[in-house]
Structure formats: structure tokens, C-alpha cells
Amino acid sequence: MASAAVSEAFEAPEQHRRPLRVAVFTTSYPRSADDFSGRFVRGSVENLRARGLEVEVVGPGSYRDFGLTANNGAGFIGNLRRRPWLAPLVLLSMIFALRRAAKRADLVHTNWLAGAVVAAFSGRPFVVTLHGSPTAGRFHDLGLAETAPRLVRWILGRARTVICCSDRLATTMRGCGLKDVRAIPYGVDVPDEVGDEDEPASVLYVGRLSPEKNIDVIAEATDGLPRIVAGDGPDRHLLPDTIGFVGPDEVSELYGRAAVVVVASSAEGLPNVVLEAMAHGKTVVATPVGGIPTVIEDGKTGLLVPVRDAAALRAAIEKALVDRELRRKLGRGARKRVDGYCSWSRVTDATLAVYAAAVPEAARETGIQPAVRPAVV
């Protein structure tokens, strides 16, 4: 969906000016080069630093988390539900860690709905990014906005800006009565080369093997087809041929080998797997949930199928597997779409625009100057 819009670009701070200082709070952040946890947060941090900002990450390891941020597919809230008595201890540890970092910062940028609770005690202006992640269960931001909009408004009401990873999530948050809400997608790198497909053409799944991903549907729809599965989780028994979690370089190689990438979730924010596969020029077959329809237009930039419809998913996969020209057409459209919508330069520009509005005096001191340019969104 292309439309005229405004994206704000920023000049880098001049050498003699101090950098804008930001403390980023997160419960998910890569612990090693092979860790995929919170890679969308890391990507943002790296690109902000490249623009001259001074960014301190307050993530796992900066506070005592009692193992609740472990990369086990359950997510922080899912792990906390199993040991709820740890909530006060973890919250205090997070608050103290963020307050220490915030003393050196102009602005706090926190992630997830629960992160806004921590940021409220930071003593600094803060902005919040919501990711629409379904792993939070009933505390899922979309679900909570529908069942308890006043609670969501109370939690997020002190934020200078609420950033949402998709237009749908942003619309829902505005419906809760929040005023300054902006939709900013995740950034993605578009590689120069798309890789050579396996022969015969294969289908790839990358991600958690957990119920909200409808692994049973994927197993049924891909049964007997050449497939590669990279991931782990409680539903591993449904896809026992999985190679487990692998690092970013290996995943990039898998994208290159695959003809089709499948996502069959019941709920999503804006999956990095979808953006990365599209950037690699792959045909993505996905369900129209969360922010997915923002980037996938059925028949032009990918294929969309109904949620929990294994027959429709199988038919779409087989259609793409047997038609190389269709795959090439969809792949070209996919690369063009993500390059125009969520290149890192555009995403970082939009994030800096939020920062400049949240702390205008500090932005002026650091030399961040907005400029206006057209964008395709």
C-alpha cells in the first residue's frame, strides 16, 4: 500500500556539540552474536549510534532477572507467569538499573508495555515502543487494549510518544485515548544478493515452535514437502526435523536456499522473519495478522492465507513451489516494498523525529535538525 507521507531526516550532530544521550531499556537483547533475542532493538541501537547518539542499553545483565529473560520461547511475561513471586524483586532491580543509567541520559526509550512501568520511575522523559508480541498472553498489548483500554492509557499516559511497530497496533493504541502515537516499522538490511535456491524448491520456517505460531498447521501443510525448520520451543515434537535455533549468518544462508518462507501465526506484531525473507527476495506465505498486511499485498509482494487453514496454506505453498516465475515476481515486489518502507535510514530518521519532539531542548543542544522529505509507506 503506497501513499504520500512525511518522513523526517536529521543532520548528524556537529563535532563540537555533545551527542544526544539515550538510555534504552529492554527485557530482550542479544547476549552473543548467535542470539536472536531482541535483535530489532539491537539494530535500532546500532543505527542510532551510527548517527552520533550516545546510547546505553539497560538490558539482561544490567539488572538481576532471576532467569526470567531466558531465551526459551516463553518471553519475559511468560516466564514471569510461572514464577510470579519474583515480580517485585525483578521490578525493583530493573528500576534501580534504569535510574542509574537515566542520570546520564536526556531521554529514556523503553520497550514493551511492561517497560513503560519501569520507565515511569526513571526520572527522565521517556518514549515507549510496543511490539505487539503475543508471548505476553493476556498481557499482550493488542489484547489488553481491547479488554482494558483505561489500564493501557494509564500505563502509557506518561510517555511523551508511543511508537508502534505496525499501523494496526498504532490505531488500536489511539483507540485507547493516547494522543501521540506513531507507527514506525522495524528496520531491515536489504542484501545485494538473494542466494541460490535449493533444488528441489523448499519451504522454510524460522522462529519459535510455540502454540501462537500454529506449528500444528505448519506441520500439516508442509508434510511431505522439502522443508527446513530452524527454531525450538514447546511444540518441537510437531516438527522434530528442526535444526534448532541458529545464528543470524546461518539464517541468512537459509533464506538464500529457500524458495518459500512460511508464517502461520494467529497473532503477530511485525515479524522480523517476514521482513528479512522479503529483503532476501523470497516468496512469503503468511497469515494476515498484526502488521503483516502492511508489507504483504496478496499476489504482489507475497501470499496471504486465512489463520489456521492448513489446506489453504498447503495450496499457497505448492502454488509458489511449482512456479519459479511467480516466485521471482513476488520476490522482486517484496524487496522493493521493504526497501521503501523499512530501510534503516528511514526507520532511524523516524525515531530521531520522535526524540526531537520528546526532548526538544536537548535536541537543539545536540544539533539534531529536522528536514522533511517524501516517503513511501
Side-chain angles (χ1 to χ4, degrees), residues 121-155:
F121 294 93
S122 68
R124 285 288 186 268
F126 68 94
V127 299
V128 182
T129 291
L130 301 179
H131 302 280
S133 173
T135 57
R138 62 179 178 174
F139 298 106
H140 174 215
D141 38 28
L142 273 171
L144 202 58
E146 294 173 356
T147 60
R150 292 183 180 179
L151 176 60
V152 171
R153 185 168 66 247
W154 178 76
I155 293 173

Side-chain angles (χ1 to χ4, degrees), residues 78-244:
N79 289 326
L80 187 60
R81 282 201 302 267
R82 298 168 183 169
R83 295 187 286 169
W85 58 88
L86 291 175
L89 297 176
V90 174
L91 179 62
L92 287 173
S93 180
M94 289 175 170
I95 289 172
F96 289 146
L98 182 57
R99 284 183 65 87
R100 285 194 297 271
K103 290 178 181 179
R104 303 181 289 274
D106 301 299
L107 176 71
V108 167
H109 187 163
T110 191
N111 289 270
W112 290 279
L113 196 62
V117 177
V118 179
F121 294 93
S122 68
R124 285 288 186 268
F126 68 94
V127 299
V128 182
T129 291
L130 301 179
H131 302 280
S133 173
T135 57
R138 62 179 178 174
F139 298 106
H140 174 215
D141 38 28
L142 273 171
L144 202 58
E146 294 173 356
T147 60
R150 292 183 180 179
L151 176 60
V152 171
R153 185 168 66 247
W154 178 76
I155 293 173
L156 298 174
R158 291 183 57 187
R160 297 289 174 92
T161 301
V162 176
I163 300 170
C164 298
C165 68
S166 71
D167 290 328
R168 180 192 173 197
L169 185 57
T171 298
T172 301
M173 290 301 141
R174 293 186 189 107
C176 292
L178 297 167
K179 301 300 182 184
D180 193 350
V181 180
R182 307 194 193 187
I184 302 177
Y186 300 136
V188 65
D189 293 312
V190 180
D192 294 332
E193 302 293 334
V194 297
D196 296 322
E197 295 180 358
D198 284 345
E199 188 63 46
S202 62
V203 57
L204 169 68
Y205 173 80
V206 177
R208 290 189 303 275
L209 304 182
S210 50
E212 75 279 359
K213 304 293 187 180
N214 290 323
I215 301 303
D216 58 334
V217 174
I218 292 175
E220 181 180 348
T222 61
D223 184 40
L225 298 176
R227 75 183 180 197
I228 307 169
V229 180
D232 208 341
D235 286 348
R236 182 185 181 120
H237 62 284
L238 296 172
L239 291 172
D241 51 323
T242 180
I243 60 175

